[in-house]
Amino acid sequence: MSVSYQLPDGASMEFEQPASAFEIAGRISKKLAKQALAAKANDNLIDVYLPIDDGATVEIITRETDEALELIRHDAAHVMAEAVQELFPDTQVTIGPTITNGFYYDFHRDTPFTPDDLKTIEKRMQDIVRRNEEIRREVWDRDEAVAFFLEKGEEFKAEIIRELPADQEVSLYRQGEFIDLCRGPHLPSTSKLGDGFKLMKVAGAYWRGDANNAQLQRIYGTAWRDKKELNAHLKQIEEAEKRDHRKLAREMGLFHIQQEAVGSMFWHPKGWRMRQNLENYIRGKMEKGGYQEVSTPQMMDRILWEQSGHWDKYGEDMFTVCTHDHKEMAVKPMNCPGHVQIFKQGITSYRDLPIRLGEFTTLFRNEAHGALHGLMRARSFSQDDAHIFCTEEQINEETAGFIKMLREVYEDFGFDSFRIKFSDRPDNRAGSDETWDKAEGALRSAVESLGLECELNPGEGAFYGPKLEFVLRDAIGRDWQCGTLQVDFVLPDRLDAEYVAEDGSRQRPVMLHRAVLGSLERFLGILIESTAGHLPLWLAPRPVAICTITNSADEYATAVQQKLVAAGVPAELDIRNEKIGFKVREHSRAKTPRIWVIGEQEAQQNQVAIRTLGSQATETMDLDEAVAALAAATRLPI
RNA sequence: GCUCUUGUAGCUCAGUAGGUAGAGCACACCCUUGGUAAGGGUGAGGUCACCGGUUCAAAUCCGGUCAAGAGCUCCA
């Protein structure tokens, strides 16, 4: 009897009895056997020393592969846990998965880990790598595994295993004295981890992601194939941090935040101009798209929020104000109830639908302290918020119109790819299951008919309806929801909105909540980070700085500025007694898109020397031509 | 809100072992009129986040408050 294996190149290999990946690799070459870290048998990853089933297609995993990088990160988590338990025996282990660029492990321990502890742990990890401990898979009976971990005082681990089916065997991996529940596979020994890892930070995390549970200490690490890759990654983080919008906004003079108004911006002249440019741009887009702009009260009686259901779910996060007659007014965190009030004035016919109401006024939400993050997560902000009141039949078409606008807008900002999440019913929700079936069905069919690629985001919908989230990424890889589309059958009912149908009956409209940019503040933050401050000309607060070389050119430069301002371009004039190199440096650092340099030569010939942000080159142009070109480029692309 | 870390001049930071503070940039004034990322000089500027405690003495040690950063939870 013999067994045979298929190799990726189509060849096959015979053995007398089931062979391991290590043995198979050894037949191919000594070198490959040395390099083998794991194997893929019929696309399932398996430890390098385990026998492989007859007939499998076997691929050897070497260090260069993506799979190996996963293994390295997973091993790093185990080695870290081993180091932690050696150094701090009172620590319980919980879970330790791989993540983008690295890994973490959640520990339970009464005393917190300090940054110094991290250094010590890292050193011990290096020791464990040097010890070259074999990492071996063991298969245990579930109940025995539970008893084993309980006896070791590992309650969290025991809890995880206890929840597996009783008859299921569990795999444990042992390296030295350390043993952990793990699906595997792993590298064959700790030395294979190498030296491309580093512990990054310690942070709190809740057991099973629930804030009611014990808080664990999560240690984050990054791991790579070698030191060189690690250093490249660290360098990249450093570069990304330079794009932080809070840092750039200070350099660009856009806004500031201070203690007396936590979570809200003091917009400076330049920042506000930029913010207004964005608002005017999207306002123009919406007008073109058949939206009507409205404005609804900043404060409304709490009763209205109770009716809508917001109070029940978000009351704690709403700011309230008491009037002299003891009414409790809520500062609006959302526009929807206000828009319903406008819809309800008079009698609406089906012929009037869809009605699209948009609003840009400021919203206030009492976001948790720890959630605040510059422009990305603020307590006061405004949205390109709108509500479309329509019939069920109109949902598809309105969704298509919205998606079309969103694509155009994102393209104007250079976001040609973005992720879409489909968030369905949350546990805590308003409306019957039938209503939710209908709303989710409607949104799903709209998505399908448009061929949109979505990832499912279970249980993350709004309390009144399912939603699409359009997600953009910041400089250091964090995801932020920007655009959104939500299908809502609940609020029209709760707030008693209706229209007269063709047959004369009264019907509930469907409400589509939608925003293309989402929070204007957040969108600007993302945009600043994604462009490193190099904004499009039409959005930049000062598209151009006019810089003189000598003050004999002051008069001409002033005339140039006036000409630009008359043409609608907010130009900055810099006739300070400074050298041109100094001025160029300063305006470049402030991310001014264009610098017009003017010396005697330009003044005499009625020209300007143009320097574009990010380039060292200059281009000399006749003044009138340059003004016309810049005026055109700074016009909002509506 | 929770965990950890941090809070010194407008900004970036130094401040050794407790003995009431320092640099660079920015700012003001003077000199310099210089062709594309920092020309030179002089000067002003700080209740060391705030409150309390220990001490003869606190930016420094301890406690609390506020805020910021990272992560978790949350995100209508």
Side-chain angles (χ1 to χ4, degrees):
Chain A
M1 197 182 99
S2 72
V3 292
S4 79
Y5 301 109
Q6 302 294 313
L7 300 179
D9 63 1
S12 68
M13 197 177 272
E14 306 269 327
F15 284 86
E16 304 248 318
Q17 48 193 330
S20 68
F22 180 74
E23 288 163 326
I24 295 170
R27 278 263 188 101
I28 297 167
S29 75
K30 238 182 179 166
K31 195 176 160 204
L32 188 62
K34 220 173 169 182
Q35 290 176 336
L37 296 178
K40 240 186 195 172
N42 294 334
D43 284 334
N44 295 321
L45 279 171
I46 179 167
D47 293 297
V48 73
Y49 49 81
L50 291 183
I52 295 173
D53 291 343
D54 185 16
T57 301
V58 177
E59 190 184 333
I60 306 296
I61 303 296
T62 59
R63 206 166 185 83
E64 288 65 44
T65 60
D66 290 345
E67 288 87 351
L69 197 50
E70 276 292 295
L71 294 178
I72 286 167
R73 288 172 181 160
H74 197 173
D75 267 30
H78 276 227
V79 169
M80 175 165 80
E82 181 178 5
V84 165
Q85 290 207 312
E86 281 184 13
L87 291 162
F88 309 97
D90 56 333
T91 307
Q92 287 190 56
V93 293
T94 67
I95 55 161
T98 63
I99 50 174
T100 312
N101 298 336
F103 61 95
Y104 68 76
Y105 209 116
D106 285 346
F107 298 101
H108 180 81
R109 179 174 179 244
D110 290 335
T111 33
F113 294 114
T114 64
D116 279 343
D117 290 338
L118 290 199
K119 281 182 208 147
T120 315
I121 295 166
E122 200 174 297
K123 278 219 178 70
R124 181 60 64 95
M125 288 173 71
Q126 288 158 357
D127 291 343
I128 293 170
V129 168
R130 249 175 257 125
R131 280 185 220 154
N132 194 16
E133 296 169 352
E134 281 199 334
I135 307 173
R136 283 296 175 269
R137 182 187 181 92
E138 299 176 8
V139 177
W140 287 49
D141 170 74
R142 188 204 69 164
D143 291 335
E144 281 174 25
V146 170
F148 173 77
F149 280 106
L150 273 181
E151 199 195 327
K152 282 180 56 164
E154 297 282 5
E155 293 154 33
F156 294 93
K157 212 73 201 183
E159 185 179 325
I160 297 171
I161 304 174
R162 200 183 294 123
E163 285 172 14
L164 298 171
D167 55 349
Q168 187 174 324
E169 290 184 324
V170 298
S171 62
L172 304 184
Y173 277 79
R174 189 189 291 273
Q175 59 194 57
E177 299 293 307
F178 180 75
I179 183 162
D180 197 1
L181 169 77
C182 187
R183 202 169 282 132
H186 270 279
L187 301 175
S189 72
T190 56
S191 70
K192 303 285 187 196
L193 176 54
D195 60 357
F197 63 87
K198 182 177 166 61
L199 301 188
M200 304 298 279
K201 58 200 170 199
V202 57
Y206 300 106
W207 170 238
R208 310 215 132 156
D210 187 335
N212 298 314
N213 289 344
Q215 186 154 36
L216 309 170
Q217 296 187 64
R218 174 172 299 177
I219 301 180
Y220 283 93
T222 185
W224 300 84
R225 295 183 183 87
D226 54 38
K227 202 119 204 163
K228 204 173 143 201
E229 278 190 11
L230 170 67
N231 288 336
H233 173 67
L234 296 177
K235 183 85 191 158
Q236 204 186 326
I237 292 176
E238 218 174 279
E239 289 303 312
E241 280 169 356
K242 288 185 192 156
R243 297 164 82 107
D244 188 315
H245 76 280
R246 294 162 300 186
K247 183 178 151 70
L248 284 173
R250 197 169 40 238
E251 289 169 11
M252 295 165 75
L254 303 180
F255 73 93
H256 84 272
I257 298 175
Q258 65 187 47
Q259 284 203 12
E260 292 79 1
V262 172
S264 298
M265 292 86 215
F266 289 78
W267 283 106
H268 297 7
K270 283 186 180 180
W272 190 243
R273 161 70 73 161
M274 176 176 155
R275 165 75 173 61
Q276 291 297 80
N277 285 347
L278 180 66
E279 185 175 319
N280 288 332
Y281 161 78
I282 196 69
R283 174 177 281 124
K285 279 281 182 191
M286 286 170 71
E287 275 170 12
K288 225 172 125 186
Y291 290 79
Q292 298 172 280
E293 187 173 338
V294 298
S295 178
T296 57
Q298 214 68 67
M299 288 185 277
M300 297 195 289
D301 196 306
R302 166 179 164 169
I303 290 168
L304 194 63
W305 300 102
E306 287 171 351
Q307 277 171 19
S308 72
H310 286 91
W311 187 265
D312 199 31
K313 185 129 201 270
Y314 299 105
E316 302 244 310
D317 300 325
M318 287 165 74
F319 292 105
T320 56
V321 177
C322 275
T323 61
H324 293 303
D325 50 354
H326 307 294
K327 268 190 183 164
E328 197 174 11
M329 309 289 281
V331 183
K332 71 170 168 187
M334 269 269 87
N335 291 312
C336 6
H339 290 182
V340 174
Q341 305 314 308
I342 292 179
F343 179 85
K344 282 168 68 178
Q345 292 305 111
I347 294 172
T348 304
S349 158
Y350 73 95
R351 296 166 190 272
D352 301 324
L353 301 181
I355 291 175
R356 308 183 189 91
L357 302 179
E359 176 160 0
F360 299 99
T361 53
T362 306
L363 305 173
F364 295 84
R365 298 178 185 178
N366 194 3
E367 302 282 10
H369 255 100
L372 298 175
H373 185 84
L375 291 176
M376 309 291 200
R377 192 84 180 268
R379 285 187 176 153
S380 65
F381 59 96
S382 43
Q383 297 181 310
D384 59 324
D385 191 21
H387 297 92
I388 301 172
F389 296 87
C390 64
T391 65
E392 283 181 44
E393 293 70 42
Q394 290 169 328
I395 293 176
N396 263 313
E397 196 181 336
E398 289 303 308
T399 302
F402 166 74
I403 299 286
K404 181 165 173 281
M405 183 190 293
L406 184 132
R407 281 195 171 129
E408 280 173 21
V409 169
Y410 281 28
E411 207 163 289
D412 281 340
F413 292 103
F415 296 121
D416 38 15
S417 72
F418 46 86
R419 291 162 58 207
I420 307 177
K421 292 185 187 170
F422 187 115
S423 302
D424 62 11
R425 66 191 78 185
D427 292 338
N428 187 357
R429 60 181 181 261
S432 65
D433 286 352
E434 295 79 63
T435 305
W436 275 89
D437 289 342
K438 201 156 76 169
E440 286 172 1
L443 188 56
R444 196 162 291 127
S445 88
V447 162
E448 277 164 14
S449 66
L450 291 167
L452 296 180
E453 272 188 39
C454 303
E455 27 188 302
L456 189 64
N457 198 20
E460 297 294 324
F463 74 87
Y464 48 69
K467 63 176 179 177
L468 296 182
E469 296 176 48
F470 299 84
V471 173
L472 295 174
R473 197 158 272 184
D474 74 9
I476 65 169
R478 290 175 291 215
D479 282 341
W480 298 92
Q481 177 195 309
C482 291
T484 182
L485 175 74
Q486 306 165 9
V487 177
D488 178 8
F489 288 88
V490 173
L491 286 187
D493 194 48
R494 289 195 149 218
L495 296 174
D496 195 26
E498 55 184 26
Y499 66 92
V500 180
E502 203 170 351
D503 62 1
S505 64
R506 304 274 167 143
Q507 299 289 336
R508 295 283 181 223
V510 180
M511 242 174 124
L512 301 180
H513 306 238
R514 44 108 287 159
V516 169
L517 306 175
S519 154
L520 302 192
E521 281 73 8
R522 174 178 293 178
F523 196 84
L524 278 179
I526 297 274
L527 195 61
I528 289 168
E529 300 203 351
S530 74
T531 60
H534 295 216
L535 300 169
L537 272 168
W538 53 270
L539 193 64
R542 301 279 184 275
V544 59
I546 300 158
C547 300
T548 49
I549 292 171
T550 79
N551 49 29
S552 59
D554 286 0
E555 202 180 320
Y556 174 67
T558 309
V560 168
Q561 186 210 20
Q562 283 167 358
K563 207 157 193 175
L564 277 168
V565 171
V569 180
E572 191 173 343
L573 180 64
D574 188 351
I575 54 175
R576 290 176 302 169
N577 176 14
E578 296 291 350
K579 289 191 149 187
I580 190 62
F582 180 87
K583 293 184 185 181
V584 165
R585 176 183 154 85
E586 209 168 72
H587 294 290
S588 298
R589 279 169 60 115
K591 313 294 182 204
T592 308
R594 298 283 183 275
I595 297 174
W596 284 12
V597 173
I598 289 173
E600 277 182 41
Q601 200 184 314
E602 286 76 13
Q604 275 162 21
Q605 300 183 9
N606 218 37
Q607 291 180 322
V608 289
I610 302 170
R611 183 183 164 120
T612 300
L613 182 62
S615 157
Q616 316 248 64
T618 61
E619 186 193 0
T620 304
M621 263 176 112
D622 287 333
L623 177 60
D624 288 341
E625 198 189 334
V627 170
L630 195 58
T634 53
R635 212 161 288 139
L636 300 179
I638 295 166

